[in-house]
Amino acid sequence: MSAMPEGCALAFDFGERRIGVAVGDTLLGIPHPLITIDTEINDARFAAIAALIAEWRPAQLVVGLPMHIDGTEHQMTQLARRFANRLKGRYGLPVWLVDERLTSVVAESMLEEAGVRGRKQKPALDQVAAQAILLTWFEHPGQAV
């Protein structure tokens, strides 16, 4: 397992329609929800990501890896891996994969604690899921792509 590089990290909760994004610094270990990129158009997605990279200057990128609860992979796992590889190829930054099996549960409880319930959770859920992915990565860096 590689040592976690210091500096800013951007985390992504990849989805076919929406990509949640969170930001955090490895020294503080406190992630913050940032934005949800809501488009299926790849060029628009990567333009939004490029703008975030230009603004935040991350030292690394983190992508949540969705899996079945028993740890086996499915179609979304492959799509998230492809997304991670594209990020690495386009931006030349270290990219890390994090097991995100429990992050949606964590994200929902984080929103509940913040008093955000029901339908109001939907717009924030993807970026809070990215926040949970980043929190998981701070604790267990996982594997580099």
Side-chain angles (χ1 to χ4, degrees):
M1 188 164 76
S2 313
M4 181 192 307
E6 289 186 358
C8 178
L10 283 179
F12 300 91
D13 177 42
F14 175 79
E16 289 181 286
R17 167 108 189 119
R18 291 183 311 277
I19 300 172
V21 187
V23 65
D25 191 280
T26 57
L27 295 176
L28 295 174
I30 304 169
H32 301 280
L34 197 57
I35 190 174
T36 299
I37 299 168
D38 191 355
T39 177
E40 293 176 49
I41 301 162
N42 264 334
D43 288 347
R45 289 176 150 198
F46 284 109
I49 293 166
L52 291 170
I53 288 172
E55 180 180 351
W56 291 95
R57 303 263 177 232
Q60 59 270 319
L61 307 175
V62 179
V63 176
L65 198 59
M67 289 190 254
H68 288 297
I69 203 73
D70 65 2
T72 57
E73 298 194 358
H74 52 74
Q75 183 190 358
M76 282 305 292
T77 316
Q78 298 308 318
L79 292 174
R81 278 188 197 282
R82 187 181 313 151
F83 174 69
N85 285 323
R86 282 183 177 166
L87 289 176
K88 186 173 184 175
R90 277 181 186 242
Y91 306 112
L93 292 166
V95 178
W96 301 76
L97 292 169
V98 172
D99 182 343
E100 68 164 50
R101 275 179 281 181
L102 301 176
T103 54
S104 59
V105 176
V106 171
E108 283 177 29
S109 69
M110 288 164 83
L111 285 167
E112 288 280 335
E113 283 175 32
V116 180
R117 293 186 174 76
R119 254 186 248 154
K120 289 182 182 168
Q121 282 191 356
K122 197 74 181 137
L125 197 56
D126 298 298
Q127 51 194 278
V128 175
Q131 179 185 14
I133 288 165
L134 195 50
L135 192 58
T136 302
W137 181 74
F138 286 151
E139 293 165 5
H140 311 282
Q143 63 191 84
V145 175

